[in-house]
Amino acid sequence: MKARTFLPALAAVSLALWWIGGPATLGAAQSPDVHPDIHYVPTPNDVVDAMLTVAHVTGTDMVYDLGSGDGRIVIEAARRFGARGVGVEIDPDLVKRARENAVKAGVSDKVSFVQGDLFKTDFSSATVVTLYLSPSINLRLESKLKRELKPGSRVVSHRFPIGDWAPEQDLTVGGNHVLFWTIR
Ligand SMILES: C[S@@+](CC[C@H](N)C(=O)[O-])C[C@H]1O[C@@H](n2cnc3c(N)ncnc32)[C@H](O)[C@@H]1O
């Protein structure tokens, strides 16, 4: 193939590969052998604040973030409110980053990060569960949330509903929805 036709073809293939693998992971390369149900996109800090505030997180809470990314939600729950927290995250690189962030924030005695699949992790000790996943993942999680969480536990989701659960509160923070429920 001549350079005149080869170079545009190479550019087109590169663009296609970027489109397939790139947009969902922009700014956050994920390990190639990790198969998350949804790629890493961090919750903005003002939305983290709103999620913890609407759930009335206190020092007696145990906050689980299912798909915890860089750990920001449970770290902030510990730093601001003195809560304990567990992040469940499938990507080992993100687990490592979250543990480092917890040390930097001075809360490594209050939070821990488990590398694993959120669908295979027991979160029955949670009093607050936070989510930033997708509508279909939340739907798959619905029965596990009902089964494992005790009455009075709170669930907060950034952006996405959980099946047909009617939220007690639906806030808008900088264009992002924060949905809140209490388990009955
Ligand atoms: C949209 S990000 C949210 C990160 C963090 N919760 C936040 O709000 O900043 C979703 C996270 O879920 C993780 N994830 C996807 N599927 C998972 C699974 N089956 N088990 C555990 N973590 C998963 C991804 O690696 C990613 O870090």
Side-chain angles (χ1 to χ4, degrees), residues 30 34-44 48 51 65-73 88-91 94 114-121 130-134 137 140 158 160:
Q30 239 155 356
V34 170
H35 302 288
D37 291 289
I38 185 84
H39 286 301
Y40 173 55
V41 180
T43 293
V48 173
M51 291 171 79
D65 185 27
L66 304 181
S68 51
D70 69 358
R72 61 183 59 204
I73 295 180
V88 182
E89 172 56 56
I90 206 160
D91 184 330
L94 286 168
V114 177
Q115 196 255 314
D117 185 340
L118 62 93
F119 287 101
K120 296 179 183 156
T121 303
T130 60
L131 309 170
Y132 181 27
L133 296 166
S134 76
I137 301 174
R140 280 169 58 207
H158 172 193
F160 301 114

